[in-house]
Amino acid sequence: MSFVLVLLGAWVVIAGAWWMLSSASRTADADKIRNRLLGTPKTKRAKGSKANVTLLPSDDTSTGRMALRLLTRFRLQDRIKGLIEQAGLKWKPARLVHACLALFLLGFCIGWLFIPSNMRPAAVLPGLALGSLPLMFVSRKRTLRLRKFEGQFPEALEFVARSMRAGHAFSVSLEMLHREFQEPLAGEFRRTFDEHNLGLPLDTALQKFALRVPSLDVHFFVSAVLLQKRTGGNLAEILDKLAYVIRERFKLRGKIRAISAHGRMTGLALTSIPLGVAAMMFVVNPDYVLFFLHDDVGQIMAGGGIALQIIGYMIIKKIVNIEV
């Protein structure tokens, strides 16, 4: 136990010291940039010196270098960065990794304290459960944000079609979406318009938009716009038909979810019943349940039962999860 406490204390001290140093570095860099932008530097430059300061800096890597190096080694940095961006959060990948590590150590220490000495390796399980909470939070935020975007998207397509019929250009219609709609749709289209307005080709801006929003409807929209740009045609009519198809697909998805609700409830009940029975037996007859914790055969049986329950739940979820 002392080793775990020493490890946790060392991690907290190192993280705190690194945060203080990085904060001081960011403050100094901010002062330099502010002085250069305002044109009022406090000290004169040395003769022959050159300024290598960019007004559009790259991603800040002053914090979490060890975490970023670890993510880069396993090729996870771009994936986690995209997940955070799709969730609409302003986090950095290093912050997410630090949160997962801190909760993992907390869960490991709790498990080490309360699990019997002959089962100390099982303390990894509560650590993994707590350590996955930040990832689950980001994934949930991403799902809700994309779902809200998909709900706004058909109306946005109809708005663009009406705007083009009124005589506005396609790029101007994208900019108007920012004023007429709410987040997250307004921010994504505003970013696409800004990228195109600052010199990025429309094809590239729309392709980046499709990468930021991994939705089948968005891919249809981008493909339709790019195809119309190459071959010609009535884009407003295409967008109207695309909006109609998306709305009909939403209706079909709702009907399928209503039909498959019985299967989802069955999977949830079959997964919850063993947990409820185990909790009741722990209260009524603790010696019967402790057999699965202290005996070697009981531990194997408990592990096999938990694994089969997880496999069964995943199979039922796969069956009732019908993509439209």
Side-chain angles (χ1 to χ4, degrees):
M1 183 59 193
S2 59
F3 172 75
V4 178
L5 293 177
V6 170
L7 181 63
L8 180 60
W11 182 84
V12 171
V13 171
I14 294 174
W18 191 266
W19 178 80
M20 293 175 63
L21 293 175
S22 62
S23 299
S25 176
R26 287 198 303 270
T27 303
D29 293 340
D31 292 338
K32 292 179 181 178
I33 294 174
R34 181 168 56 253
N35 291 333
R36 288 183 181 275
L37 292 176
L38 295 176
T40 57
K42 294 183 179 179
T43 58
K44 296 182 179 179
R45 297 180 185 175
K47 295 182 178 180
S49 63
K50 296 182 178 179
N52 294 324
V53 180
T54 60
L55 297 180
L56 296 175
S58 58
D59 294 337
D60 184 16
T61 59
S62 59
T63 58
R65 292 182 180 178
M66 296 181 62
L68 291 176
R69 193 176 298 118
L70 182 64
L71 292 176
T72 303
R73 182 175 181 180
F74 291 98
R75 299 179 181 179
L76 295 175
Q77 183 176 358
D78 294 337
R79 185 177 300 179
I80 293 180
K81 187 176 179 181
L83 182 66
I84 294 173
E85 185 177 8
Q86 291 169 7
L89 301 174
K90 301 299 182 181
W91 294 5
K92 296 180 180 178
R95 179 181 177 183
L96 181 61
V97 173
H98 289 163
C100 293
L101 290 177
L103 290 177
F104 173 80
L105 289 176
L106 178 62
F108 184 81
C109 293
I110 294 174
W112 190 275
L113 287 174
F114 292 98
I115 292 179
S117 58
N118 60 340
M119 295 181 59
R120 289 290 171 78
V124 177
L125 297 179
L128 292 175
L130 284 180
S132 61
L133 288 181
L135 290 175
M136 294 175 62
F137 172 76
V138 174
S139 178
R140 180 62 178 172
K141 292 282 290 183
R142 172 183 179 271
T143 302
L144 294 177
R145 186 172 183 268
L146 292 179
R147 190 176 300 171
K148 185 177 180 181
F149 181 93
E150 290 177 350
Q152 297 173 326
F153 195 55
E155 187 177 355
L157 294 181
E158 294 177 348
F159 178 86
V160 173
R162 292 194 300 268
S163 176
M164 295 184 65
R165 289 193 181 98
H168 297 287
F170 176 74
S171 59
V172 177
S173 302
L174 297 182
E175 197 272 337
M176 293 172 63
L177 289 173
H178 174 69
R179 299 193 299 267
E180 299 295 334
F181 287 83
Q182 298 178 353
E183 295 292 339
L185 186 139
E188 293 295 340
F189 275 104
R190 176 67 182 182
R191 181 173 176 180
T192 303
F193 171 77
D194 288 340
E195 291 176 347
H196 175 60
N197 195 35
L198 291 174
L200 197 66
L202 182 61
D203 298 359
T204 307
L206 290 176
Q207 290 172 1
K208 293 181 66 176
F209 169 61
L211 292 177
R212 291 196 307 269
V213 185
S215 173
L216 186 62
D217 302 331
V218 174
H219 287 284
F220 285 156
F221 165 71
V222 173
S223 300
V225 173
L226 296 183
L227 182 62
Q228 187 273 341
K229 185 180 178 182
R230 294 187 179 94
T231 61
N234 191 349
L235 182 59
E237 183 179 356
I238 295 174
L239 296 181
D240 280 335
K241 292 182 179 179
L242 181 59
Y244 173 78
V245 171
I246 294 174
R247 292 184 187 277
E248 292 298 320
R249 195 160 64 88
F250 283 167
K251 293 179 182 179
L252 180 60
R253 182 187 299 176
K255 293 181 181 179
I256 291 176
R257 286 186 60 85
I259 296 173
S260 61
H262 181 268
R264 294 197 303 273
M265 293 299 297
T266 302
L268 183 61
L270 292 177
T271 306
S272 303
I273 287 175
L275 299 177
V277 172
M280 292 174 59
M281 292 300 298
F282 189 81
V283 175
V284 176
N285 190 1
D287 295 334
Y288 182 80
V289 180
L290 292 177
F291 163 76
F292 295 97
L293 299 178
H294 298 296
D295 192 88
D296 294 337
V297 178
Q299 294 174 8
I300 296 175
M301 293 174 62
I306 293 173
L308 290 176
Q309 281 292 122
I310 295 175
I311 294 174
Y313 176 77
M314 297 301 295
I315 291 175
I316 295 176
K317 186 177 180 181
K318 186 68 175 179
I319 292 174
V320 300
N321 188 16
I322 303 174
E323 293 291 338
V324 180

